[in-house]
Amino acid sequence: MPQRDDLRAAFFEECEDLLAQMGDGLALMSDAADTPELETLHSVFRAVHSIKGGAGAFGLNGLVDFAHAFETVLDLMRSGRLSIGSTGMPTLLRAYDVLSDLVAAARDGVTEPSSMAAILVELDILADGGGADEEDIEFVPVPLDLSLPFASPVEPEPAPLGYMIAFAPSAALYLAGHEPAALLRALVRLGSARVIPDTDEVSPLAAFDPGSTALRWQLELSTCASRDEVDAILDTVSHLADVMIAPLVTHAAGMEEEASTQSRPSLPDQVPSEPGPIASLAMSNSDPVPVMEARVKGMDAAPASPIRGQPEATPVQMPVASTIRVNLDRVDRLINQIGELVIMEAMLSQAITNAQIEDGGDIANGLEGIKNLAASIQESVMSIRAQPLKPVFQRMQRITREAADATGKSVRLQTIGEGNEVDKTVIERLVDPLTHMIRNSVDHGIETAERRRSVGKPAEGLITLSAAHRSGRVIIDITDDGAGIDRARVRQIAEERGLVAPGAHLAPSDIDNLLFMPGFSSKEEVSALSGRGVGLDVVRREIQALGGRVTIQSVPGQGTTFTIALPLTLAVLEGMLIDVGGETMVLPLSSIVETMRPASVQVQYLGRAARMVASRGALIPIIDLAESFGFDPVGPLEQAILIIVEYDADRCVALAVNQIHDQRQVVIKSLEDNYGDVPGISAATILGDGRIALIIDPEEIVQSAAAESLALPHVANG
Amino acid sequence: MKFRILVIDDSPTMRGLVTAALEPAGFEIHQAQDGVNGLDRLAAADPHLVITDINMPRLDGFGVIQGIRTGATNASVPILVLTTEAGGDLKDRARRSGATGWIVKPFDEARLISTINLVLGV
Amino acid sequence: MRQMLIEHTPDQSDVVSFRIGDQDYCIDIDVVREIRGWSPTTVLPHSPPHITGVINLRGTVVAVVDLAARLGLPQTVPTPRHVVIIVSVNSQTVGLLADVVSDILGIDEGSVKPVPDVGPDPTRAFITNLITHDDGRILRKLDMDKILPRSAGGQPS
């Protein structure tokens, strides 16, 4: 049996999902605030509602109260009694933020956010706007308690349209071989009916006969048939059952739901097929037509499956993903073991080659099969760690709102491609850099509303956060439609802070890249918003630590785009195997621009030792990789191969290596666990022969080279 | 014999809570995560009692009750509604749909069990 | 490949003794995971002379410490006759390169002696105790905390 603590933990996990579901729904609603999709509203409502339900179970009263106020507004909206339009949307979004905070506060046992009271008032004001027709409220908040069973219903008194038949069979009826269902069907044939258990009184429940598995029945029979016709059917069993027949009265509120339910096409066999009485009831129903249409539409969007057990006919519009939660350690262990399998396969392959066995191809085929299988298992296991970017993107909605509030700007965040999947760790470590970049875009990118209007832009700024998969990487763009980078100002700041020599020749892209320099932003200069102790240099470091790169493009007056390129996983990497001073090493393929033989290109010398090579209109410094690792130098460039790598936005260096072997996917193994940092090396991998190869970090190579020489020429190729 | 109870609720937390309350009391619990799923599982679970939420995706609690009452199998199974709602209109609507009883969340375990025993005639 | 797995025994006073040059050393058997024959290592750039390189221990990257170099003696030129003692201390796994493993010895309390003040010698800093053995050998017990390179992202020593 699950313990209560486990259930509590499960509840908070569920809350995460529900909040995500809400975030989606609210985003859709923001796009069409005047006419929100009913199913979207239902979905958001249900999420709040489920949070409320669970919170109540765990005695989280603050959360219950807030969810209730929130839910009240949503319920008014979904029942068509409240249209909040675009003006009310910010309140819902803020309420969503507060709800997220409350969930987190309840989970972590910290105090509730102070913003709660203010938002509660806003929600109440919104709710008042929809509460005009008091009588119609079907959702009455009352204190939670346990009440059972129903109180006696109070029936109104309009004209009879049929009969209410109470039918309580005795055990003797069954012994006599009667089948209540047959009798009920006979009654139903008189018109149309709904069959429900008789629960009008408390006492029948208490007096429930354990010896009988049957319920007492109550029939709401809509029929033109006479009382005699009804009696005729029931007379046969009148001595075996308690039977009570009374004229049927309508319920104005209830019938409308009936009608809409009846019109649901995918719920077949709703009792009899005669549409007559029901249809006429629907027509006489006094509810406003739009409400009915809305309900019917809502039903269409959420079809029910056929009741009578024909699973193949089930219309599956929203397939329910069945998932299990697995400890990440287990997945990682599996990843390691698969890596081992791949290596063992390679070793076995080598051993068989060495043994020179003649087998007519059987062994080779078997090995090939194992190899393919291992590769596909590896891919499958990797995909377990992959998760959609959606939660992170969703979080950015809130960051945008908060940043916009803090700066007094009006900004909307549009997200694209949030379904793209990336390794879980990458996603987790992406939150901070993205947060910072979004804040930066709101703070420095988007102009004030007045300014925007004066240059003919819409007052509301737009930030687009988009993700796409491109050649084994995920590319994330953060684009604002703001003023673009003020290069004169950036240059001035950089000169003031001694980051560049005054008057140095800088291409526009070089100036833009100054934003990433450590020491560019200082606390007193940055506004209260962005000035949380990090600059874009930290963002770049964080992205690089993930094996990614960040670049910047800006067009004055039109906006700025930051582009982040990330590996899909931190567990494997596409690499080029190279020979450096006799050691086999791996260079990440993502950093490689091109490879060339120096014999075919002109090597330029600068001073005594510095060498450069011209490539694509730029002069690129050459680093002897073996020398930089402290091995015997590669030596004369004529015998070397140059690999041009991009180590930073638009900055390249040519690494001289002895030889290039081949390209392959390698499993990344940490060096830090059992050893520590190695300069110029990011990690290690295990080759087919079981030996270890080190994975090169091009940026560190450049940095250490620069530190040694202090003379690395500044190269501009923009 | 163990009484079988089909719990229909879109919230895993709530299903878990009900299960945690009822399994130790000797009930066999079957779960469904929404109305459609609940109706699908009805025949296989062949429950002595159904406990259903009201607000659920795809098919809500009223639809579940109606579906069961008009369905081919288990049409007469007792149905308890378990929901945070306590409005008279909703109760009335549930009753008219064919619900047997109404339990408000958060529920008290002992009272939930005594209610179930009452309905099952134990 | 010569490989020898050591059964874990609950007896706390057992040590694994081995030779470095012409001297006998030992470490607690508790930290020893296995002893394997030497296999070529991958050289780590910019590493201190006593780090021979890294090897693949069933999928884990393990650094190999040349004990001789670590103790200030001439660097080992490894051959297949050399052994790598895999030890695990504070969740860090490291291989220790030694000439040859002599024995697993039980030690009684009385034979453990403090290190006499022999003046400034680089080796001295890595020795916790001296153990006199029945056959007249003197075992130098190594301080694993000082021998191992620091890990967890720091610069290795």
Side-chain angles (χ1 to χ4, degrees):
Chain A
M1 176 195 144
Q3 294 303 301
R4 201 169 170 84
D5 281 353
D6 293 343
L7 284 168
R8 196 173 188 276
F11 166 63
F12 285 115
E13 281 182 13
E14 185 192 342
C15 280
E16 295 285 312
D17 297 343
L18 293 168
L19 286 168
Q21 179 188 331
M22 281 183 73
D24 283 351
L26 289 169
L28 283 173
M29 284 164 66
S30 301
D31 292 342
D34 293 322
T35 53
E37 283 282 330
L38 199 60
E39 188 46 39
T40 307
L41 267 171
H42 278 309
S43 158
V44 174
F45 170 84
R46 278 195 306 269
V48 181
H49 187 74
S50 291
I51 290 173
K52 183 176 100 171
F58 296 104
L60 306 168
N61 295 330
L63 189 51
V64 170
D65 292 346
F66 188 83
H68 184 75
F70 198 168
E71 176 190 79
T72 303
V73 171
L74 292 167
D75 190 53
L76 289 168
M77 289 174 68
R78 69 177 186 150
S79 59
R81 279 165 298 173
L82 173 65
S83 175
I84 60 160
S86 51
T87 50
M89 210 51 223
T91 301
L92 291 193
L93 291 169
R94 274 196 290 273
Y96 169 62
D97 294 343
V98 170
L99 189 68
S100 311
D101 288 347
L102 278 170
V103 168
R107 181 190 56 217
D108 305 335
V110 298
T111 48
E112 289 158 358
S114 53
S115 50
M116 182 172 102
I119 304 293
L120 265 178
V121 171
E122 283 187 43
L123 285 173
D124 285 348
I125 293 170
L126 268 186
D128 282 349
D133 43 353
E134 297 289 342
E135 285 177 80
D136 209 30
I137 291 188
E138 64 167 17
F139 192 75
V140 186
V142 297
L144 305 173
D145 63 356
L146 183 122
S147 61
L148 177 116
F150 299 106
S152 297
V154 182
E155 304 286 5
E157 286 273 18
L161 291 154
Y163 303 93
M164 183 74 87
I165 302 162
F167 173 60
S170 67
L173 180 137
Y174 294 95
L175 290 173
H178 286 285
E179 169 56 56
L183 293 163
L184 296 172
R185 270 198 295 276
L187 287 168
V188 158
R189 268 183 230 116
L190 295 173
S192 85
R194 282 190 311 118
V195 184
I196 54 183
D198 180 3
T199 54
D200 270 21
E201 295 166 72
V202 179
S203 52
L205 269 175
F208 222 79
D209 178 4
S212 159
T213 53
L215 278 174
R216 288 154 189 263
W217 298 95
Q218 181 171 306
L219 247 79
E220 243 174 49
L221 182 62
S222 300
T223 179
C224 317
S226 69
R227 171 69 188 258
D228 285 350
E229 287 174 85
V230 176
D231 283 347
I233 294 169
L234 291 170
D235 272 350
T236 54
V237 293
S238 59
H239 59 295
L240 298 171
D242 289 330
V243 179
M244 193 191 78
I245 303 170
L248 182 67
V249 291
T250 60
H251 335 268
M255 285 307 176
E256 163 262 312
E257 285 140 16
E258 298 281 354
S260 64
T261 312
Q262 289 288 349
S263 66
R264 200 186 317 170
S266 48
L267 248 186
D269 304 316
Q270 282 281 355
V271 195
S273 48
E274 304 266 349
I278 295 293
S280 66
L281 279 173
M283 300 314 264
S284 69
N285 156 29
S286 59
D287 267 25
V289 173
V291 172
M292 253 192 66
E293 279 179 353
R295 289 226 165 121
V296 173
K297 194 174 164 206
M299 293 296 186
D300 285 348
S305 72
I307 292 151
R308 298 209 166 158
Q310 284 165 317
E312 69 275 12
T314 307
V316 183
Q317 289 211 344
M318 288 167 57
V320 179
S322 80
T323 56
I324 55 165
R325 291 179 193 271
V326 180
N327 191 315
L328 208 55
D329 289 346
R330 294 193 193 177
V331 177
D332 289 346
R333 200 158 64 221
L334 196 53
I335 289 175
N336 274 332
Q337 286 164 347
I338 300 294
E340 282 299 285
L341 179 63
V342 172
I343 292 159
M344 292 298 283
E345 179 275 324
M347 289 167 79
L348 184 58
S349 194
Q350 188 65 47
I352 288 169
T353 309
N354 294 348
Q356 294 179 318
I357 299 166
E358 283 295 328
D359 72 299
D362 285 353
I363 292 176
N365 289 343
L367 268 180
E368 189 62 23
I370 292 174
K371 191 175 177 177
N372 293 339
L373 206 52
S376 102
I377 295 172
Q378 189 167 45
E379 202 168 298
S380 303
V381 174
M382 292 305 175
S383 74
I384 298 177
R385 279 190 60 98
Q387 303 210 312
L389 282 160
K390 195 163 142 187
V392 186
F393 276 24
Q394 235 166 26
R395 219 154 136 179
M396 294 308 129
Q397 290 286 2
R398 174 174 192 172
I399 301 297
T400 308
R401 282 199 290 281
E402 286 175 347
D405 283 353
T407 54
K409 293 174 184 173
S410 173
V411 187
R412 190 162 69 88
L413 179 72
Q414 181 182 44
T415 57
I416 298 169
E418 56 191 7
N420 281 296
E421 294 192 337
V422 186
D423 185 273
K424 184 179 158 64
T425 308
V426 176
I427 286 182
E428 283 162 0
R429 287 167 62 184
L430 198 54
V431 173
D432 282 351
L434 270 188
T435 299
H436 188 81
M437 292 168 93
I438 293 281
R439 282 193 184 131
N440 184 77
S441 290
V442 174
D443 199 10
H444 300 300
I446 304 289
E447 316 91 323
T448 61
E450 303 83 66
R451 171 100 192 106
R452 290 179 64 88
R453 269 194 288 264
S454 74
V455 297
K457 291 183 186 175
E460 185 181 62
L462 177 67
I463 298 175
T464 305
L465 181 57
S466 70
H469 275 180
R470 212 178 298 153
S471 54
R473 309 206 106 199
V474 64
I475 310 292
I476 298 173
D477 281 339
I478 301 116
T479 303
D480 67 59
D481 68 346
I485 292 171
D486 182 348
R487 295 195 174 112
R489 173 97 184 102
V490 168
R491 189 191 182 103
Q492 187 197 336
I493 292 170
E495 286 180 4
E496 280 168 16
R497 304 213 166 122
L499 300 173
V500 290
H505 172 74
L506 294 173
S509 66
D510 290 331
I511 298 176
D512 294 348
N513 276 313
L514 290 173
L515 293 176
F516 290 118
M517 298 262 301
F520 178 80
S521 63
S522 76
K523 272 175 193 160
E524 64 261 47
E525 186 264 337
V526 182
S527 75
L529 177 65
S530 301
R532 302 199 181 192
V534 285
L536 286 173
D537 60 317
V538 176
V539 168
R540 195 182 67 170
R541 263 211 305 283
E542 285 169 343
I543 298 295
Q544 281 171 343
L546 288 171
R549 276 180 298 153
V550 55
T551 55
I552 186 169
Q553 284 112 36
S554 186
V555 180
Q558 290 178 27
T560 304
T561 297
F562 288 95
T563 301
I564 301 172
L566 286 169
L568 298 179
T569 170
L570 297 181
V572 294
L573 166 139
E574 281 293 334
M576 184 180 271
L577 264 57
I578 55 175
D579 186 309
V580 181
E583 292 282 330
T584 302
M585 301 184 108
V586 179
L587 197 56
L589 213 54
S590 60
S591 63
I592 297 176
V593 178
E594 63 177 321
T595 60
M596 55 174 74
R597 290 201 166 270
S600 62
V601 295
Q602 191 75 40
V603 175
Q604 303 289 337
Y605 289 83
L606 187 70
R608 195 165 49 85
R611 294 173 293 189
M612 293 179 296
V613 63
S615 168
R616 301 180 187 184
L619 279 174
I620 297 172
I622 297 171
I623 293 175
D624 184 324
L625 202 48
E627 194 173 39
S628 89
F629 281 133
F631 305 154
D632 292 337
V634 168
L637 284 179
E638 289 68 30
Q639 288 156 30
I641 294 173
L642 290 180
I643 304 175
I644 314 282
V645 296
E646 193 183 44
Y647 65 93
D648 194 359
D650 293 329
R651 282 156 195 252
C652 294
V653 68
L655 302 176
V657 306
N658 297 74
Q659 215 182 324
I660 292 176
H661 295 303
D662 63 351
Q663 227 168 276
R664 70 172 69 161
Q665 198 176 55
V666 297
V667 180
I668 299 174
K669 298 281 180 183
S670 167
L671 269 177
E672 299 195 356
D673 290 350
N674 286 320
Y675 185 65
D677 267 349
V678 180
I681 299 297
S682 62
T685 189
I686 297 169
L687 299 176
D689 62 2
R691 288 196 61 181
I692 289 173
L694 302 175
I695 301 170
I696 296 164
D697 180 342
E699 188 180 2
E700 274 190 18
I701 298 286
V702 174
Q703 278 170 358
S704 63
E708 275 168 32
S709 67
L710 290 170
L712 190 67
H714 187 91
V715 175
N717 61 353
Chain B
M1 180 201 71
K2 269 194 172 186
F3 281 104
R4 291 180 298 276
I5 298 180
L6 176 63
V7 178
I8 310 173
D9 200 312
D10 59 328
S11 160
T13 305
M14 206 45 74
R15 292 199 302 273
L17 281 168
V18 173
T19 305
L22 297 183
E23 266 181 1
F27 294 104
E28 180 181 322
I29 306 299
H30 297 252
Q31 300 188 10
Q33 78 273 23
D34 62 36
V36 172
N37 187 240
L39 292 179
D40 284 348
R41 295 201 174 172
L42 185 67
D46 189 24
H48 298 88
L49 173 76
V50 173
I51 298 178
T52 183
D53 186 19
I54 288 296
N55 284 291
M56 292 182 290
R58 299 212 291 173
L59 181 64
D60 69 9
F62 300 117
V64 168
I65 297 167
Q66 229 159 14
I68 293 174
R69 290 296 176 239
T70 56
T73 62
N74 304 78
S76 57
V77 66
I79 304 173
L80 289 175
V81 174
L82 179 63
T83 179
T84 43
E85 262 61 80
D89 287 2
L90 285 183
K91 279 194 194 180
D92 198 37
R93 194 178 151 196
R95 184 192 58 73
R96 277 185 287 100
S97 301
T100 313
W102 185 281
I103 305 167
V104 175
K105 302 176 200 170
F107 58 85
D108 173 84
E109 287 188 10
R111 292 192 67 182
L112 177 68
I113 292 168
S114 68
T115 302
I116 289 169
N117 285 336
L118 184 69
V119 172
L120 291 173
V122 177
Chain C
M1 184 184 288
R2 194 150 51 101
Q3 206 170 64
M4 176 169 114
L5 283 172
I6 290 170
E7 295 290 323
H8 184 91
T9 55
D11 192 341
Q12 293 295 309
S13 58
D14 281 357
V15 296
V16 174
S17 74
F18 45 88
R19 290 182 75 86
I20 300 167
D22 54 1
Q23 298 180 352
D24 290 297
Y25 290 84
C26 70
I27 53 177
D28 267 334
I29 198 167
D30 288 345
V31 301
V32 177
R33 292 288 157 266
E34 68 182 76
I35 298 170
R36 45 196 288 151
W38 185 82
S39 57
T41 59
T42 298
V43 177
L44 291 174
H46 310 295
S47 60
H50 63 265
I51 300 293
T52 307
V54 284
I55 55 166
N56 164 24
L57 181 73
R58 289 186 296 280
T60 307
V61 180
V62 172
V64 176
V65 176
D66 177 357
L67 280 177
R70 186 59 166 159
L71 297 173
L73 306 168
Q75 221 167 316
T76 308
V77 180
T79 68
R81 290 177 50 83
H82 285 83
V83 294
V84 176
I85 306 165
I86 306 292
V87 298
S88 190
V89 181
N90 304 328
S91 76
Q92 183 186 7
T93 305
V94 167
L96 304 177
L97 177 62
D99 285 1
V100 65
V101 172
S102 325
D103 230 338
I104 294 163
L105 303 167
I107 295 185
D108 60 60
E109 292 288 312
S111 60
V112 180
K113 305 284 189 315
V115 186
D117 191 357
V118 290
D121 183 277
T123 309
R124 166 74 184 83
F126 298 102
I127 311 291
T128 55
N129 292 106
L130 297 177
I131 296 160
T132 52
H133 195 52
D134 302 342
D135 59 11
R137 281 187 293 163
I138 292 175
L139 304 177
R140 295 145 191 87
K141 193 167 182 211
L142 291 174
D143 183 344
M144 292 312 293
D145 285 342
K146 293 213 173 71
I147 293 280
L148 298 194
R150 272 193 299 275
S151 88
Q155 285 289 335
S157 61

